[in-house]
Amino acid sequence: VLADVDGTLVTKDKILTPRAIRAVERLRERGILFTITSGRPPKGMKMVIDPLKISEPIAGFNGGMMVRPDFTVIEARTLPADTARRVIGIIRDHRADPWVYNGNDWIVSNAEAPHVAREQWTVKFPPVVGNVEDRLDQVVKITGVSDDLDLMKRLEHDLQQALGDTASAALSQPYYVDVTNRDANKGGVVMTLERLLGIPASQMVTLGDQPNDVLMFRRSGMSIAMGQASPEVQKQATHVSTSCEEEGFANGIEKYVLGDA
């Protein structure tokens, strides 16, 4: 079982509920492996890795970096520096704010910009404040940020059109669009886990709520969308659970994976 984190495994307030923890314990009791994928940096997932006692490879940056639970790197997929510079330019042209993730460092140009404080609270470590174009040698992810949600949809579309198959661009939240290496997407995470664990993708279940989760829905044998997901995302899933605020992760696991009545 492979689960998205924000809006799926945790609530909108980033709470991992006791029922979600118990659902993962029950998977393990059945001999079913469990791991997570997120647009977050790997160390930004520590708050769920520890209570869930995850022992399998974990996919940070939407698959841009595969790590072990102790954060040692298994493999990383980066963006070429010229591509990274081009992406930053497109984000700025749309008047959104670019964030750059270089290795484990999160770089922002303004610590007071929208969502920086919230993101710091979520991932539990602070950003490096500076020129985001100064360090483009090991870029794993670039995020465009804006509270203009219509603009963000246009930015996602324009990035996809500009980048073609040279990189992956997708909304991870209505106010975040993530750009990663073309092979660093959640569909790629499924295929990487198939290779690392020796488990066919057809025997995997994926859970998510955002457009960037659809790629892993398409690759896995079964998929479960959260109840707050858009109609477009729900249509791509095998099943639809309740929302993340209504124990959507636990309900989905209990009903569709464990087979509870």
Side-chain angles (χ1 to χ4, degrees):
V1 173
L2 172 65
D4 167 54
V5 176
D6 298 292
T8 300
L9 183 61
V10 300
T11 67
K12 290 179 181 177
D13 290 329
K14 315 303 181 185
I15 302 299
L16 180 65
T17 68
R19 189 170 162 199
I21 294 171
R22 179 57 187 150
V24 173
E25 289 173 347
R26 290 184 62 200
L27 289 174
R28 199 167 286 123
E29 289 166 3
R30 297 275 190 94
I32 299 172
L33 304 184
F34 176 81
T35 192
I36 54 178
T37 180
S38 174
R40 297 188 191 193
K43 64 183 181 181
M45 293 185 276
K46 183 175 173 60
M47 54 84 74
V48 295
I49 293 169
D50 291 349
L52 294 176
K53 300 180 174 65
I54 296 175
S55 59
E56 309 309 324
I58 292 152
F61 299 121
N62 298 325
M65 188 176 288
M66 297 291 298
V67 302
R68 297 181 179 86
D70 63 0
F71 304 117
T72 55
V73 177
I74 299 172
E75 56 189 44
R77 296 181 173 92
T78 59
L79 286 167
D82 58 339
T83 301
R85 193 169 288 107
R86 186 181 180 199
V87 168
I88 291 169
I90 293 170
I91 291 171
R92 284 183 169 147
D93 287 346
H94 285 70
R95 300 189 183 280
D97 190 33
W99 297 349
V100 169
Y101 293 86
N102 184 299
N104 275 318
D105 288 334
W106 164 34
I107 306 164
V108 303
S109 56
N110 178 8
E112 305 303 318
H115 294 282
V116 173
R118 172 72 173 181
E119 186 71 5
Q120 180 174 337
W121 177 82
T122 298
V123 301
K124 310 303 182 192
F125 68 89
V128 175
V129 180
N131 185 347
V132 296
E133 292 177 296
D134 280 349
R135 292 172 54 192
L136 301 180
D137 55 323
Q138 291 292 320
V139 174
V140 187
K141 184 179 78 165
I142 299 174
T143 299
V145 184
S146 173
D147 281 322
D148 184 335
L149 305 190
D150 288 334
L151 179 147
M152 292 304 288
K153 291 177 182 176
R154 293 196 301 274
L155 177 57
E156 178 192 44
H157 174 269
D158 292 349
L159 282 166
Q160 290 172 347
Q161 292 295 307
L163 297 171
D165 61 359
T166 64
S168 174
L171 288 166
S172 61
Q173 296 291 336
Y175 41 83
Y176 291 160
V177 61
D178 292 339
V179 179
T180 53
N181 179 289
R182 63 181 181 181
D183 296 320
N185 58 69
K186 290 184 177 178
V189 172
V190 172
M191 306 318 293
T192 300
L193 289 174
E194 179 179 70
R195 173 167 50 84
L196 293 175
L197 301 176
I199 296 174
S202 60
Q203 294 181 23
M204 296 185 196
V205 180
T206 53
L207 299 93
D209 71 309
Q210 290 294 327
N212 68 339
D213 296 317
V214 168
L215 290 175
M216 68 177 181
F217 289 179
R218 292 173 180 167
R219 293 282 192 175
S220 58
M222 187 169 83
S223 53
I224 305 170
M226 297 300 101
Q228 82 278 3
S230 70
E232 291 76 15
V233 171
Q234 290 187 17
K235 287 176 186 175
Q236 299 291 328
T238 315
H239 304 288
V240 178
S241 185
T242 52
S243 77
C244 65
E245 298 298 285
E246 301 168 304
E247 298 283 5
F249 169 80
N251 280 328
I253 293 296
E254 291 164 4
K255 183 174 182 179
Y256 302 114
V257 183
L258 297 171
D260 291 355

